Amino acid sequence: MAGAPLLSVERLTTVFDTASGPVTAVDEVSFEIRPGETLGLVGESGCGKSVTALSIMRLVVAPGRITGGRLLYRGRDLGALPEADMRRVRGAEIAMIFQEPMTALNPVFTIGDQLAETLAVHGRASGRGARAAAIDLLDAVRIPDPRLRVDDYPHQLSGGMRQRVLIALALACRPALIVADEPTTALDVTIQAGILALLREMKAAFGLSLLLITHDLGVAAGICDRVAVMYAGRIVEEGPVRAIFRRPQHPYTRALLASMPGVPGQRLTAIDGSVPAPGALPAGCAFGPRCRDRFDRCATTPPPDYAVGPEQRAKCYLHAPAATGVPGPPTHGPR
Amino acid sequence: MALVEVSHLVKRFRRGGGLLRRPSTITAVDDVSFAIDEGETFGLVGESGCGKTTTGRCILRLVEPTSGAVRFRGEDVLAYSPKRMRAARRQMQIVFQDPYGSLNPRMTARQIVEEPLIIHRMGARAARRERVAGLFGLVGLDPAHLERHPHQFSGGQRQRIGLARALALNPSFLVLDEPVSALDVSVQAQVVNLLMDLQRQLTLTYLFIAHDLRLVEHVCSRVAVMYLGRIVEVGPTGAIFAAPRHPYTRALLSAVPIPDPDARRARIVLDPAAVSREASLKEIAAGHWAEV
């Protein structure tokens, strides 16, 4: 996984203008995706993970706007591109798969027409060639009888099949990076397993990088190389998937993992309180009020990133070097 | 003795039909039988459209079954008159999946929780108010927030209001229809713990309808797996998760994502042809039945 990153997101900040002032949805988010790698962006609803995805595609619309940071794709600053050039990047370089397979497809066109349109817009194929290419794509995403299905309308397909069509659309122009926003959330678990298997397979076959946005830690564990955990607009911890699951260093990551059903019949380890509303974040660490390890310093300023392991970082004062002269964290070992 | 006994329950819905087209019939629940013991949590799992929600609603007669029997403490609920049925609902309540859609946005939390007490003529005004405040405390809500409207509560708090409403009449049996699936992961655990605490405290019996198998494994003592309107496997949760017998149960369990990057499990894909419509439930181990 060495080499230059395919995409680096540097201190990306996206705000939404509301009646009561600007609300920061994505707050100085930074991460890299290397060629062939799958990065999972994990978090609960409202944490800013979908807005991060839309920001990368430059698809944030008013009242939202990107107010800071850089998006470097193969070293090119996407933020500086004219919209016409950005349109060529979308689909051809970076493609997106949306959560709702019901609404992301146009109900009045056949899936073949929609695939052909994407190919034509990007100058990949037209006419009969586009139809043949559409059939090939449907075959690649394991849709049975692609020759018949190419003339189907979205409503004639099941949810899982529609999601396969969306994956085919994303693959149409051979992008290097796919951003998948909760691609399996609306699906049943057996269908989800099939879609995840397909994504893994496509990734290997086309040498794709994948940014997978999910709220399901189980899904992230099964498919990601690295995981970034978001809370209240910030990435609070990031690292290799094994480190995140075996040696989580941020109290929020630990609490999320601990709250998952484990030993039958036992009480779950719940996280007190609820996610703060965007725009009403506490001072200091946003997780502070719900954190069992909080101490005085947590309520002062938001913690910066601390290196907590090989390629692992966490925004938590528990990992602040003791040499800074501030009162240290409460003494207890890692759980 | 079983508290709730469902036998040969069938629910058919007519669909479509018009001037020139004949309506078609869909069998949502197809000859379903099971019994729930007092104090246990019985899980009903399956994927969307398998008939699990319809089964739960048929038990409370929120949906009228086409045929079959539902016995509650030995009495056939389906034979009850509407008046008798309403009285019986004091004993049997439901908590819905969607905490956003199942609470009237124009009522305050107090009115929502008090409404069943008024309908069932339980107590005078002062006694009802006291009861509502007590219920609020019981489900972990601050009684100072009684006059708020649903939109002023978070999803988890809303689900607690739904639970307080269901508990208002002191029921012994609750149908929990996907009670936490609309909630965030960090809030799910709070509500699951509350449900488990209340069950012990109030000796409640639960029918727990869910699609999240990890959660079902955690809270249910026994579980029934539904597929296309039928129960294809039923038994102690431990036995079913350790040694699933039916091809659908195997496919379903193998598809559950494991929150462990080193867990590589072979996915089993269901071959629909492997599921025989002619099969019937047979006991393959003590209390563990599967369609074979």
Side-chain angles (χ1 to χ4, degrees):
Chain A
M1 296 284 164
L6 188 66
L7 176 77
S8 12
V9 176
E10 295 175 2
R11 304 175 69 128
L12 174 72
T13 302
T14 304
V15 304
F16 282 79
D17 292 308
T18 69
S20 48
V23 168
T24 307
V26 176
D27 190 1
E28 301 212 349
V29 160
S30 302
F31 58 82
E32 288 180 346
I33 300 175
R34 284 161 267 193
E37 180 180 63
T38 299
L39 175 71
L41 199 54
V42 175
E44 299 176 88
S45 46
C47 74
K49 54 193 193 300
S50 288
V51 178
T52 302
L54 291 173
S55 301
I56 292 170
M57 303 299 288
R58 276 187 43 196
L59 288 173
V60 176
V61 290
R65 59 197 163 90
I66 298 173
T67 59
R70 288 207 303 171
L71 298 164
L72 293 177
Y73 176 77
R74 294 195 202 271
R76 258 196 309 172
D77 186 355
L78 294 183
L81 288 184
E83 176 57 29
D85 291 348
M86 187 63 207
R87 215 173 291 156
R88 275 194 284 276
V89 171
R90 286 189 209 114
E93 302 278 352
I94 311 176
M96 189 154 179
I97 301 171
F98 293 94
Q99 173 174 357
E100 286 294 335
M102 315 292 172
T103 51
L105 291 168
N106 190 329
V108 300
F109 291 102
T110 65
I111 57 172
D113 286 344
Q114 295 184 55
L115 281 162
E117 186 198 5
T118 303
L119 292 163
V121 163
H122 289 279
R124 293 267 170 171
S126 57
R128 224 173 259 165
R131 187 183 163 84
I135 292 169
D136 286 347
L137 282 162
L138 294 178
D139 192 39
V141 296
R142 311 262 181 282
I143 288 187
D145 302 325
R147 257 164 233 291
L148 298 173
R149 290 303 186 177
V150 73
D151 295 319
D152 275 0
Y153 289 89
H155 75 268
Q156 294 172 289
L157 302 173
S158 67
M161 284 300 149
R162 278 182 214 154
Q163 198 55 278
R164 283 174 193 267
V165 172
L166 283 186
I167 293 173
L169 272 169
L171 292 171
C173 297
R174 300 279 185 270
L177 172 65
I178 288 187
V179 178
D181 186 5
E182 302 269 15
T184 59
T185 302
L187 305 174
D188 274 322
V189 62
T190 52
I191 310 298
Q192 164 173 284
I195 295 292
L196 291 175
L198 177 69
L199 280 175
R200 257 189 297 253
E201 208 180 303
M202 295 295 109
K203 221 191 86 179
F206 297 98
L208 286 167
S209 300
L210 187 63
L211 175 62
L212 179 82
I213 292 166
T214 179
H215 68 281
D216 190 326
L217 289 163
V219 168
I223 189 167
C224 296
D225 303 307
R226 283 189 304 128
V227 172
V229 181
M230 272 190 97
Y231 187 78
R234 299 177 190 135
I235 290 182
V236 295
E237 179 164 9
E238 195 221 310
V241 65
R242 264 183 202 83
I244 295 291
F245 282 86
R246 296 264 183 272
R247 295 181 307 281
Q249 296 298 319
H250 195 285
Y252 176 62
T253 316
R254 288 184 193 158
L256 264 189
L257 287 167
S259 70
M260 307 204 54
V263 185
Q266 277 191 9
R267 280 178 67 84
L268 296 171
T269 314
I271 308 177
D272 298 331
S274 54
V275 180
L281 298 189
C285 174
F287 186 61
R290 305 175 75 188
C291 182
R292 295 194 178 170
D293 297 322
R294 67 172 173 265
F295 55 107
D296 295 346
R297 195 175 171 189
C298 302
T300 55
T301 46
D305 275 320
Y306 293 105
V308 294
E311 301 201 17
Q312 191 178 3
R313 59 189 169 109
K315 282 190 179 69
C316 178
Y317 286 124
L318 287 176
H319 303 288
T324 52
V326 287
T331 47
H332 64 73
R335 280 166 301 182
Chain B
M1 190 187 72
L3 183 72
V4 178
E5 209 182 329
V6 173
S7 38
H8 304 294
L9 190 72
V10 174
K11 176 63 191 177
R12 290 195 188 96
F13 289 104
R14 270 160 67 109
R15 194 170 79 163
L19 201 57
L20 299 169
R21 216 188 314 172
R22 282 181 141 184
S24 57
T25 305
I26 289 174
T27 307
V29 179
D30 187 2
D31 195 17
V32 159
S33 304
F34 57 87
I36 309 176
D37 288 330
E38 195 144 13
E40 89 167 326
T41 301
F42 185 83
L44 201 53
V45 303
E47 297 184 288
S48 41
C50 73
K52 56 193 192 298
T53 290
T54 304
T55 301
R57 294 190 178 185
C58 280
I59 294 174
L60 300 187
R61 284 179 69 185
L62 297 175
V63 167
E64 283 296 335
T66 305
S67 64
V70 175
R71 272 179 275 276
F72 184 77
R73 295 191 197 283
E75 283 187 48
D76 187 0
V77 171
L78 301 187
Y80 283 170
S81 67
K83 197 176 158 202
R84 180 85 179 76
M85 188 61 222
R86 196 173 310 149
R89 289 224 180 89
R90 283 180 205 170
Q91 288 295 307
M92 332 161 69
Q93 287 287 321
I94 183 165
V95 177
F96 296 98
Q97 169 173 8
D98 179 7
Y100 298 87
S102 59
L103 304 177
N104 186 335
R106 298 172 70 165
M107 289 166 82
T108 64
R110 174 201 300 287
Q111 289 170 327
I112 289 168
V113 178
E114 191 179 8
E115 196 178 27
L117 297 170
I118 296 171
I119 290 171
H120 289 272
R121 299 176 210 284
M122 308 275 277
R125 195 180 151 88
R128 285 201 309 260
R129 298 238 140 179
E130 203 175 308
R131 171 88 179 129
V132 171
L135 285 162
F136 239 60
L138 186 68
V139 298
L141 288 171
D142 184 349
H145 297 159
L146 273 167
E147 304 307 328
R148 291 190 179 180
H149 287 82
H151 73 269
Q152 293 169 291
F153 293 94
S154 69
Q157 288 171 324
R158 267 181 261 210
Q159 207 51 316
R160 289 175 196 259
I161 296 173
L163 190 55
R165 172 177 62 186
L167 293 172
L169 301 167
N170 255 327
S172 47
F173 174 62
L174 285 188
V175 173
L176 305 170
D177 189 359
E178 302 268 13
V180 298
S181 57
L183 305 178
D184 267 324
V185 192
S186 77
V187 177
Q188 277 193 6
Q190 294 172 12
V191 176
V192 169
N193 282 342
L194 174 66
L195 288 169
M196 291 167 82
D197 291 345
L198 288 171
Q199 178 170 48
R200 264 186 291 264
Q201 219 173 316
L202 307 172
T203 354
L204 295 167
T205 304
Y206 289 153
L207 174 63
F208 192 94
I209 299 170
H211 69 278
D212 182 341
L213 291 147
R214 289 184 295 221
L215 192 59
V216 165
E217 183 180 22
H218 190 86
V219 301
C220 298
S221 42
R222 283 192 306 139
V223 62
V225 180
M226 277 188 86
Y227 179 66
L228 301 178
R230 297 161 65 116
I231 289 181
V232 295
E233 186 156 3
V234 56
T237 309
I240 289 198
F241 277 75
R245 176 67 178 268
H246 192 272
Y248 178 70
T249 315
R250 288 179 182 171
L252 189 65
L253 290 177
S254 81
V256 177
I258 313 172
D260 178 345
D262 290 313
R264 287 280 178 266
R265 186 178 44 190
R267 184 163 70 94
I268 302 166
V269 179
L270 178 69
D271 172 13
V275 183
S276 162
R277 299 262 83 188
E278 317 301 292
S280 59
L281 284 172
K282 293 197 178 62
E283 192 163 21
I284 52 173
H288 184 172
W289 298 68
E291 269 193 356
V292 282

